[in-house]
Amino acid sequence: MTEPALLRVAYADSREPVPTELLAGFSFADPITQPRLLSLPLPVLSHPGMYEYWHVDAPIHSGVEAGVHFAEGGGWLFAWLEIADPNATTIETAATEAYRRMAEFQQRHSAHHVLRIWNYLRDINQGTGDQERYRLFCNGRAVGMGNAFGNAGYPAATAIGHQDPHRGLIVYWLAAVQNGQRVENPRQVSAWCYPHNYGPTPPGFARALRLPNNLGLAISGTAAVVGHASTHPRNMAAQLHETFTNLDHLHQAAGYTKSLPAGSLLKAYVRHPQDANAVAKAIRQRYGAALPSLILQGDICRSELLVELDGWYLH
Ligand code: 3EB
């Protein structure tokens, strides 16, 4: 099997022309309707007007199949779907539907290895105990994915809350003709082994995924979770420091010695917009001003967590 082409990820000013050979593009709380571009309901606090682009140096074919929007080329596939999630529908049902449709869609496409998934759902912390919407989402997701990923073969993932009453459950993903390698963080209990005090269905995701073609790592949503516990509840500076430490251990577990080399990107989700500047500053101090980063307003799936990072370790 041929290796997938080079995949590049960049943040760019939306006033610049949309690049060609685009696999995917993302705007943040900025409505756009163009094939291959997805508008995400998370305001960007650090660089208003920035978009995210995924480039592949190959011809791209795009379309819509059974409500799944997709673009594929060069051995890569980007796809997304949105399930309306009005109050009458439970988020549990919406998640099952989303993952069933993803699994069915993936079976029909040659780039069938799902490597990385992002989940954005409204009011993620609403509801108490096991009725919290994030926990219900985890229940529904597990039912919908069934055996699609096999045990411990989960993709890397992010699950973040949005506040847009007009948007539902948005799931987008990256798949490839070649599989990647799952990477777990030795400082953290694997998510699918979380004890049941975090909800009846542990979340199914890998901490990172080593991309084919030796491109680097797709890094899952990473927060101040050590073992399985949230640390430093409601303390932004300490959570951020713990999260940086988690990222260090994660890239070391993947066999990389260098911390986020040139080509890498980082995204921070902050619960409170007033924390954006402090987070941007801490990222600059830790990784240098050259690292492209975006600070988005988004809710973390555990209510005591204030910040989560995800990104790309690319070299
Ligand atoms: C954590 O470490 C933080 O449910 O897909 C991070 C990444 C988190 C993905 C998911 C949840 C998910 O448990 C939360």
Side-chain angles (χ1 to χ4, degrees):
M1 190 197 330
T2 55
E3 292 204 310
L6 185 68
L7 172 80
R8 285 184 304 114
V9 180
Y11 302 140
D13 196 304
S14 60
R15 287 165 302 188
E16 291 165 23
V18 173
T20 54
E21 307 300 356
L22 199 65
L23 184 72
F26 307 89
S27 76
F28 302 95
D30 175 18
I32 35 159
T33 42
Q34 270 191 64
R36 306 180 204 173
L37 295 192
L38 169 59
S39 172
L40 298 172
L42 303 178
V44 56
L45 302 168
S46 55
H47 301 81
M50 290 297 266
Y51 283 6
E52 175 178 349
Y53 292 123
W54 297 355
H55 304 271
V56 172
D57 193 12
I60 308 289
H61 154 86
S62 59
V64 186
E65 277 179 26
V68 179
H69 300 250
F70 70 96
E72 62 186 333
W76 297 97
L77 183 145
F78 157 67
W80 68 273
L81 56 79
E82 180 164 357
I83 308 284
D85 170 31
N87 294 336
T89 319
T90 72
I91 182 65
E92 194 163 345
T93 316
T96 299
E97 168 82 10
Y99 275 78
R100 273 210 184 113
R101 280 165 59 180
M102 177 197 294
E104 282 168 17
F105 175 90
Q106 284 302 129
Q107 274 181 353
R108 296 192 303 267
H109 287 260
S110 56
H112 64 270
H113 299 284
V114 179
L115 306 179
R116 179 66 170 96
I117 305 174
W118 289 259
N119 307 276
Y120 295 137
L121 52 143
R122 186 166 34 80
D123 298 331
I124 196 167
N125 301 125
Q126 204 179 78
T128 49
D130 288 347
Q131 294 304 309
E132 186 182 33
R133 278 170 57 87
Y134 173 63
R135 297 186 181 190
L136 297 174
F137 164 80
C138 288
N139 297 344
R141 169 171 60 179
V143 172
M145 69 167 67
N147 284 324
F149 306 125
N151 197 24
Y154 298 115
T158 294
I160 287 288
H162 71 74
Q163 301 284 353
D164 186 340
H166 305 294
R167 301 295 297 274
L169 167 64
I170 301 154
V171 182
Y172 71 92
W173 62 96
L174 174 70
V177 291
Q178 241 178 35
N179 209 346
Q181 288 171 314
R182 277 77 191 147
V183 181
E184 288 303 300
N185 192 330
R187 269 188 114 220
Q188 298 182 299
V189 171
S190 290
W192 64 88
C193 298
Y194 282 173
H196 291 282
N197 44 325
Y198 302 101
T201 312
F205 69 94
R207 296 293 176 185
L209 197 124
R210 240 185 120 135
L211 297 164
N213 214 355
N214 196 28
L215 294 179
L217 285 178
I219 302 167
S220 288
T222 304
V225 172
V226 179
H228 52 69
S230 306
T231 58
H232 321 294
R234 285 166 263 276
N235 178 340
M236 167 56 89
Q239 284 188 19
L240 203 47
H241 185 264
E242 203 71 57
T243 305
F244 290 150
T245 305
N246 276 337
L247 290 183
D248 284 347
H249 284 251
L250 188 59
H251 78 245
Q252 283 159 19
Y256 298 129
T257 47
K258 217 173 154 185
S259 157
L260 297 181
S264 303
L265 304 96
L266 216 50
K267 210 178 263 169
Y269 304 90
V270 297
R271 184 181 293 282
H272 304 303
Q274 63 267 30
D275 287 335
N277 286 341
V279 171
K281 190 174 168 203
I283 289 175
R284 270 198 309 275
Q285 282 174 346
R286 182 82 176 201
Y287 299 107
L291 177 77
S293 63
L294 289 184
I295 318 290
L296 305 181
Q297 185 181 351
D299 295 329
I300 322 309
C301 63
R302 296 185 187 182
S303 54
E304 66 277 12
L305 295 174
L306 301 174
V307 60
E308 184 170 307
L309 305 179
D310 73 15
W312 304 86
Y313 183 111
L314 298 174
H315 48 189

